[in-house]
Amino acid sequence: MSEIEKMTLESESLIDDRLNKLKELMPEVFSESGIDFDKLRLELGDEVDEGLERYAFTWPGKADAIRQSQMSSTATLRPRIEKSRSRDGEDGSFDSDNIYIEGDNLEVLKLLQRGYHGKVKMIYIDPPYNTGHDFVYKDNFGDTIENYKEQAGLTGQSNADTSGRYHSDWCSMMYPRLKLARELLSDDGVIIISISDAECSNLKSLLDEIFGEKNFCGDVLWNSTKSVTNTALISVSHTYNFIYFKNMDYFVRNRSEFRLRDDGEGFSNPDNDPRGPWKADPFQVGGWRPNQQYEITNPNTGVVYTPNPGCSWKNDYAHFLELEKDGRIVFGSTGEGGPQRKRFLTEAVNRGKVAKTWWDDVETTTNGTQLVKKLFDGVAVFDNPKPVGLIRRFMELATNKDCIVLDFFSGSCTTGQALFEANYEDSGNRRLIAVQLPEVLNEDSFAYKAGYLTLCDIGEERIRRAGDKIKTELEESNRQLKLGEGPKQLPDIGFRVFELDESGIEKPEPGQLLFDVVKPDRSDMDIVFEMMLKWGLELTLPVEKSEAAGYPIWSVACDELVCCMSRGLTIEALEAIADMEPRRVLILDSVLDDTLKLNAVQIFKHAGERMGCEIELRTV
């Protein structure tokens, strides 16, 4: 009898992925027993480092940290509809394209690999700074879900600076998370990480190893506080923000995609040019180019100019003559200097401007604290959150209107509020994935006394209130439309909440026969989303309960996946499902007998032949 393939309940294995890539590149180094390392060394030639001394970044526990990133997960994400919100701000609905996940980000990053591999445009994280007072995750190789629940229940767990492995513990926490994060980035993806002096050098070394030094874009120094600490010898007023590309080559080819909006500062129109305000750019560039060496005479003074030694004019002579004829060459603000080229404001807006590494023109941490306090009716529910303006600036640099933004140390969820506001401003469709450990708050904190028991309670409530604020502003704006203006559309201000938990599928002990593998505390929807996750479908796809020949089914994304989980399955129902032309079908083993199993295999095989593609049939 034909058997139906069992559903894989483990997350994507990075090891398998790398082995497959290596096999495509160098099939000759593989043997029946695995990799022939002697042959691999021969193929690599002089690239093999056989010396005892070498430059390397290491610490006690690094090997375990690497293995943590390679271990697959059998956990799942359970939908929490009662905590979720619809696209238009109605509580208890599950149609939003934004996701908020309560759970240990190491496990969550593993679970997201199948559905979101290579799809995330921007990652921003503000991880623990390892100051000796902040929360630092303690990973282990045992029961990862039990370990996660234990951590979530701890209050104020810190990595004390008296620990013998103070920096090592922090590096071991960050390494596997960054490794997994890189896999989620798209080829045009960017990761931005805020950090303080305590671990900036170690973080830079981690990022160089994982992302590659050549993909380092820059370190933005943000003037994060204006106040002065009198107790310190030097009052620290900055925060580091490391920016790495997934693929530097992409951004070299597409420079214009990584720009800030030009606000028009410095533009004017002293000569009443009909093309509008302009700014004079230098016409000289560094580097000697033979076809860009010529004399330029200032018509106002008769002075003849040539490029400085080792420099060239910006364009060749023919192009210069075109610019001169077009009125784009000027000679200083008084007409008495060397040649410059007009750049019009309309061009600058389209082109944008290059970001600098020193930012003192965005909000400070104090502004971030005041904003959250105002949003929560005067209650200080979170200490020192990043200001929305800072994250908005990063989004301006690194995102487009339709992309995924991930924050897996989401804290009070500044990233979520920034994303909502960015979409409201430019009618974008950026989608959020926020991940946060539901750390229990200290009972003496203002947040706990205000009714917020975990950090996730604060994050979810913040984006709920931020969405309400946008909805109120939009309704007021649409009531005061000017003649000819159309009403502005409300962006997606909702979010689907998921909770990390162990798999809903019972794993039988050796020799044990389980008739029903679904755990008694799990709903059909729990199992549907677990199958979506393990099959690599995005968690925001629409899920509907329907019928096929009178049999209840669950349909994902218009029959991309059909799940059969109720008793009473019939051949007529199987044929009706096949007529729906699904791409994937899941049937619980407990609802199948031998006859139905045989018929299911044949029915979906023939349907796949009609469709011209195989229907993936699985069971659990």
Side-chain angles (χ1 to χ4, degrees):
M1 183 184 73
S2 299
E3 286 296 322
I4 301 176
E5 188 175 338
K6 290 286 186 180
M7 187 69 193
T8 300
L9 297 178
E10 292 187 344
S11 62
E12 190 77 76
S13 169
L14 296 186
I15 296 177
D16 290 344
D17 182 57
R18 280 166 171 70
L19 286 174
N20 290 333
K21 288 177 180 176
L22 181 60
K23 192 174 289 185
E24 288 181 14
L25 184 65
M26 307 173 73
E28 65 274 15
V29 306
F30 284 83
S31 65
E32 289 184 355
S33 57
I35 299 176
D36 185 335
F37 281 96
D38 290 333
K39 188 175 287 186
L40 178 61
R41 290 164 70 88
L42 286 172
E43 292 293 331
L44 293 176
D46 293 336
E47 294 300 316
V48 177
D49 185 353
E50 299 189 47
L52 294 177
E53 293 185 0
R54 67 190 69 179
Y55 176 79
F57 176 59
T58 190
W59 65 91
K62 182 176 183 180
D64 283 346
I66 293 172
R67 283 194 289 271
Q68 283 282 11
S69 69
Q70 296 169 342
M71 290 178 63
S72 57
S73 174
T74 58
T76 189
L77 299 175
R78 299 178 63 184
R80 295 293 303 274
I81 298 175
E82 75 282 2
K83 286 188 169 187
S84 303
R85 187 168 242 220
S86 71
R87 301 175 61 87
D88 58 0
E90 295 298 321
D91 291 326
S93 182
F94 216 63
D95 66 353
S96 173
D97 286 335
N98 301 310
I99 298 173
Y100 188 100
I101 302 173
E102 301 180 358
D104 175 6
N105 51 22
L106 179 60
E107 289 299 300
V108 172
L109 289 170
K110 292 176 182 178
L111 294 174
L112 295 178
Q113 291 300 320
R114 277 203 175 94
Y116 294 90
H117 186 273
K119 293 183 179 180
V120 176
K121 182 71 168 68
M122 170 182 154
I123 297 175
Y124 171 78
I125 56 171
D126 183 24
Y129 286 1
N130 208 21
T131 61
H133 306 288
D134 47 4
F135 193 101
V136 174
Y137 295 56
K138 308 292 185 184
D139 305 319
N140 67 36
F141 289 94
D143 188 324
T144 53
I145 298 300
E146 284 303 314
N147 180 55
Y148 144 63
K149 290 179 178 178
E150 180 182 336
Q151 289 190 83
L154 297 174
T155 301
Q157 174 176 300
S158 62
N159 189 27
D161 52 17
T162 55
S163 166
R165 291 190 172 184
Y166 178 65
H167 294 292
S168 295
D169 287 347
W170 189 87
C171 290
S172 291
M173 177 197 73
M174 292 298 297
Y175 187 94
R177 290 165 172 83
L178 293 173
K179 190 87 171 173
L180 292 162
R182 183 184 180 278
E183 297 298 318
L184 295 174
L185 278 179
S186 56
D187 285 341
D188 62 346
V190 181
I191 186 170
I192 303 167
I193 307 177
S194 297
I195 200 69
S196 70
D197 290 299
E199 294 293 352
C200 68
S201 59
N202 285 330
L203 178 61
K204 179 69 167 59
S205 296
L206 286 171
L207 291 167
D208 283 345
E209 178 170 320
I210 294 169
F211 286 84
E213 290 183 56
K214 77 180 187 69
N215 291 316
F216 174 57
C217 171
D219 173 15
V220 169
L221 287 169
W222 164 48
N223 188 191
S224 53
T225 179
K226 305 295 185 184
S227 59
V228 176
T229 305
N230 294 322
T231 57
L233 294 175
I234 296 179
S235 182
V236 177
S237 61
H238 67 275
T239 297
Y240 301 96
N241 298 272
F242 292 120
I243 303 177
Y244 279 74
F245 295 137
K246 173 72 174 288
N247 185 343
M248 174 65 81
D249 294 339
Y250 174 88
F251 284 92
V252 170
R253 295 193 304 269
N254 302 276
R255 293 177 182 274
S256 61
E257 290 187 19
F258 199 73
R259 291 285 192 274
L260 293 173
R261 287 193 299 271
D262 199 320
D263 54 11
E265 184 179 355
F267 285 81
S268 61
N269 197 1
D271 59 353
N272 295 315
D273 193 309
R275 291 168 288 191
W278 53 272
K279 182 188 288 186
D281 287 344
F283 195 63
Q284 184 173 249
V285 294
W288 192 86
R289 300 176 181 86
N291 64 331
Q292 291 165 223
Q293 306 288 325
Y294 47 88
E295 294 181 346
I296 295 178
T297 302
N298 185 330
N300 304 312
T301 63
V303 176
V304 177
Y305 293 90
T306 58
N308 294 333
C311 296
S312 304
W313 294 129
K314 202 162 194 172
N315 305 107
D316 60 29
Y317 189 64
H319 195 178
F320 165 75
L321 292 177
E322 292 175 4
L323 293 170
E324 187 179 46
K325 183 178 179 181
D326 195 35
R328 284 181 175 254
I329 299 297
V330 292
F331 294 85
S333 59
T334 62
E336 299 180 356
Q340 295 176 304
R341 187 171 71 173
K342 282 184 177 182
R343 176 165 55 94
F344 292 97
L345 178 58
T346 51
E347 297 168 330
V349 169
N350 292 330
R351 182 185 175 193
K353 62 181 180 181
V354 175
K356 295 183 178 180
T357 56
W358 172 244
W359 290 6
D360 62 353
D361 59 341
V362 295
E363 300 162 340
T364 64
T365 303
T366 301
N367 298 131
T369 302
Q370 291 171 344
L371 174 63
V372 173
K373 191 174 180 180
K374 183 178 180 181
L375 204 60
F376 281 80
D377 304 320
V379 180
V381 296
F382 194 86
D383 295 331
N384 303 317
K386 290 294 179 288
V388 171
L390 177 70
I391 313 303
R392 286 284 303 276
R393 176 75 66 88
F394 287 138
M395 286 184 183
E396 186 182 327
L397 264 180
T399 71
N400 51 49
K401 289 185 178 183
D402 187 9
C403 66
I404 297 175
V405 176
L406 168 64
D407 183 347
F408 55 90
F409 283 101
S410 64
S412 70
C413 214
T414 301
T415 303
Q417 182 173 351
L419 182 139
F420 283 5
E421 291 185 6
N423 284 342
Y424 176 56
E425 181 179 300
D426 64 11
S427 302
N429 187 37
R430 298 169 187 84
R431 288 152 285 160
L432 172 72
I433 301 177
V435 186
Q436 178 58 48
L437 188 79
E439 178 189 348
V440 173
L441 301 177
N442 192 302
E443 294 183 11
D444 294 329
S445 67
F446 291 116
Y448 190 93
K449 292 175 181 177
Y452 304 104
L453 306 184
T454 71
L455 196 47
C456 290
D457 290 342
I458 294 175
E460 291 163 17
E461 181 63 17
R462 176 176 185 174
I463 51 178
R464 189 176 286 112
R465 293 183 180 223
D468 288 342
K469 182 172 179 288
I470 287 173
K471 189 173 183 178
T472 300
E473 290 178 1
L474 180 137
E475 290 171 350
E476 182 63 29
S477 173
N478 285 344
R479 278 196 293 266
Q480 302 178 25
L481 292 174
K482 296 178 181 178
L483 187 64
E485 280 186 341
K488 194 169 185 178
Q489 298 300 308
L490 182 69
D492 183 352
I493 57 169
F495 50 93
R496 301 187 184 197
V497 177
F498 290 88
E499 178 183 68
L500 178 68
D501 206 339
E502 60 191 10
S503 173
I505 305 300
E506 199 77 65
K507 186 177 181 181
E509 299 294 332
Q512 181 186 14
L513 182 62
L514 284 176
F515 182 72
D516 191 350
V517 295
V518 177
K519 293 178 179 177
D521 65 337
R522 301 306 165 94
S523 68
D524 283 355
M525 188 169 278
D526 287 336
I527 303 303
V528 170
F529 274 97
E530 179 165 0
M531 295 305 106
M532 290 169 62
L533 196 65
K534 301 304 171 62
W535 228 314
L537 299 177
E538 293 187 11
L539 295 171
T540 52
L541 293 175
V543 176
E544 295 179 324
K545 193 169 185 178
S546 183
E547 286 188 353
Y551 176 79
I553 61 171
W554 290 86
S555 173
V556 178
C558 299
D559 309 325
E560 179 71 19
L561 165 64
V562 173
C563 297
C564 307
M565 294 183 290
S566 300
R567 301 192 192 283
L569 182 62
T570 63
I571 293 176
E572 290 75 21
L574 291 172
E575 290 174 340
I577 294 169
D579 289 341
M580 295 160 58
E581 299 189 348
R583 288 283 293 109
R584 303 168 178 86
V585 176
L586 175 93
I587 307 175
L588 288 187
D589 210 27
S590 58
V591 307
L592 286 169
D593 57 28
D594 289 347
T595 302
L596 275 176
K597 191 174 291 187
L598 182 61
N599 278 284
V601 171
Q602 295 303 316
I603 287 170
F604 290 112
K605 178 184 177 183
H606 294 320
E609 291 170 353
R610 291 197 307 270
M611 293 165 57
C613 62
E614 180 188 0
I615 296 175
E616 296 180 41
L617 178 61
R618 301 285 186 274
T619 185
V620 288

